[in-house]
Amino acid sequence: YPLRRQRQMCIRDRIYTDRSASFDFQAADTYAIPDSVVLLTGNLQDGELPEKVDAQYGDLIIEQIRDNMNARGWTEVAATADPDVMILPAVNKTTNVNVYYSYGGYWGWYYPYYGYGYGGYYTTSYETGSLFMQMVDPNEVSGTGNVPIVWIGVINGLVEGSQASINARVLTDIDQAFTQSEYLQQ
């Protein structure tokens, strides 16, 4: 499905939403959502189950998505009850490490120079990542087994900061993604 773009800038995070122009959101009113959030690592081997986001964050993400869907008139059903759409939340997280080498020492003032050079390694690290909320139409599986994405919400930067900061931003950023997606209102 071709997608339309809509962006919203926040103080710290970037929130991006997009939708399929051909999907009729008003004809759909039931959804299913898993009980955990997948952690995208890129290390998954055939037959392995994906890692899950720590429950302290995953449960908050699931509940905030659920609250927003319910507030917009959608009805949650089990995945086995043939929902109109499924919401598949996932988080990618990358730890970035920078290594610096510092030169120093005393080489003397006269020829031949004496002394020694020394240095030290210094490292810094920080985490970056995004939350992906993909709404798929499970009734439109292609011949290749692909399921079309009818709506996506991406929050970039959400995994940075303290636990309290992340929790507060999960609430406000997910709300913002749904606010800027007015077509999800039933």
Side-chain angles (χ1 to χ4, degrees), residues 143-158:
T144 60
N146 293 330
V147 180
I149 297 172
V150 298
W151 176 79
I152 188 166
V154 180
I155 302 170
N156 188 9
L158 192 59

Side-chain angles (χ1 to χ4, degrees), residues 28-34 62-89 134-136 138-139 178 184 186:
D29 63 357
T30 61
Y31 75 97
I33 189 168
I62 296 289
E63 284 305 313
Q64 197 64 16
I65 293 170
R66 183 176 282 132
D67 289 349
N68 274 279
M69 290 294 287
N70 294 343
R72 283 160 179 74
W74 292 78
T75 303
E76 183 177 6
V77 298
T80 57
D82 195 28
D84 295 320
V85 296
M86 294 183 76
I87 301 174
L88 306 172
Q134 298 177 91
M135 182 184 289
V136 299
N139 303 307
F178 278 89
L184 294 177
Q186 293 297 311

Side-chain angles (χ1 to χ4, degrees), residues 101-107 116-120:
Y101 183 76
S102 174
Y103 295 96
Y106 180 75
W107 292 95
Y116 58 91
Y118 67 90

